[in-house]
Amino acid sequence: MKKQKAQETYLSNVFSYLRGRRIVVRDNPVNAVQMGVGHLIDQGFAVRPGNIDDTLRREGSPWIAQAVEIGEDSGFTRGLLHFVIEESPLSFLPFVKRNIPPTLVIVTARILPDGTCELMIQPFVSLSLKKAMINHDADHLAAPRVEAAVMAVINSYQQSGFLVEAGKWKSIAAQKDKECPAFPRKARALTNFR
């Protein structure tokens, strides 16, 4: 099967930013993670090789997690071309697209003391690529896909009556829990995503 190129139109991220979301549901963590990953796959993401659950289990973590990714490096020449096009009226043409940069999404869940399940969906853009990119606005090109997947998760739980709290969009969903796989340093350590 031929891999579909991950591209978005130039204006797809005008008011859309890569942000995470914390959702509380009545479900078990395995199902919650599978639902989040399934909706991300529906949006064009692919499961990242490697089992981060093994590492979390060895650490005695209460979290389970899975990583998905999308995107590719455009390279300097293509990046320069995208920069030139974006500064011209050509960017308004619907067929003019640019590559989504490498973007990782961690989907992680755990049981809370009250028996509910805390689900976090957190995207990250490649740090090594950011240094080489000419146009940093491209950082957020995967945002509409992440947002669509998260809203699909929320709608699924809402329709089944198992949604406890939908949470709010945040740049980092796990702001205080440094052991959470959705925390930036932890996510990069678990996946070696740079």
Side-chain angles (χ1 to χ4, degrees):
M1 185 174 174
K2 189 176 178 184
K3 187 178 174 186
Q4 183 182 3
K5 208 165 195 146
Q7 295 180 321
E8 290 292 342
T9 60
Y10 272 84
L11 301 176
S12 64
N13 68 320
V14 174
F15 295 110
S16 211
Y17 302 99
L18 274 177
R19 299 171 296 179
R21 190 122 178 199
R22 177 185 178 267
I23 305 163
V24 180
V25 296
R26 282 190 291 277
D27 200 352
N28 68 59
V30 173
N31 288 342
V33 168
Q34 286 175 352
M35 181 180 286
V37 168
H39 286 296
L40 284 159
I41 288 170
D42 290 346
Q43 292 296 320
F45 286 81
V47 174
R48 186 175 171 92
N51 188 350
I52 58 179
D53 264 345
D54 289 344
T55 306
L56 292 171
R57 260 188 247 113
R58 280 194 302 272
E59 293 174 355
S61 175
W63 296 95
I64 67 152
Q66 192 163 6
V68 295
E69 59 188 355
I70 195 170
E72 61 184 69
D73 181 359
S74 291
F76 182 79
T77 306
R78 190 170 175 110
L80 184 59
L81 177 65
H82 289 314
F83 178 74
V84 170
I85 288 173
E86 188 171 67
E87 298 300 317
S88 74
L90 289 175
S91 64
F92 292 101
L93 298 174
F95 59 84
V96 178
K97 298 184 179 202
R98 59 183 167 177
N99 292 347
I100 294 174
T103 305
L104 172 80
V105 180
I106 296 288
V107 182
T108 186
R110 70 175 174 180
I111 293 291
L112 293 173
D114 65 0
T116 58
C117 175
E118 178 180 32
L119 171 66
M120 292 199 197
I121 301 173
Q122 181 67 53
F124 302 96
V125 75
S126 171
L127 294 176
S128 61
L129 186 62
K130 281 181 82 152
K131 294 174 188 169
M133 276 198 308
I134 295 171
N135 184 357
H136 291 285
D137 291 339
D139 284 5
H140 302 284
L141 275 177
R145 294 176 188 229
V146 173
E147 289 173 10
V150 169
M151 294 314 295
V153 169
I154 290 170
N155 289 338
S156 294
Y157 279 116
Q158 204 164 29
Q159 288 174 359
S160 65
F162 294 146
L163 180 68
V164 176
E165 179 189 329
K168 294 183 178 175
W169 293 106
K170 294 184 178 181
S171 57
I172 301 170
Q175 292 179 333
K176 296 179 178 140
D177 187 353
K178 293 183 180 179
E179 293 307 309
C180 174
F183 191 77
R185 276 203 178 121
K186 184 73 172 178
R188 293 183 195 284
L190 286 168
T191 61
N192 292 320
F193 182 77
R194 301 287 177 248

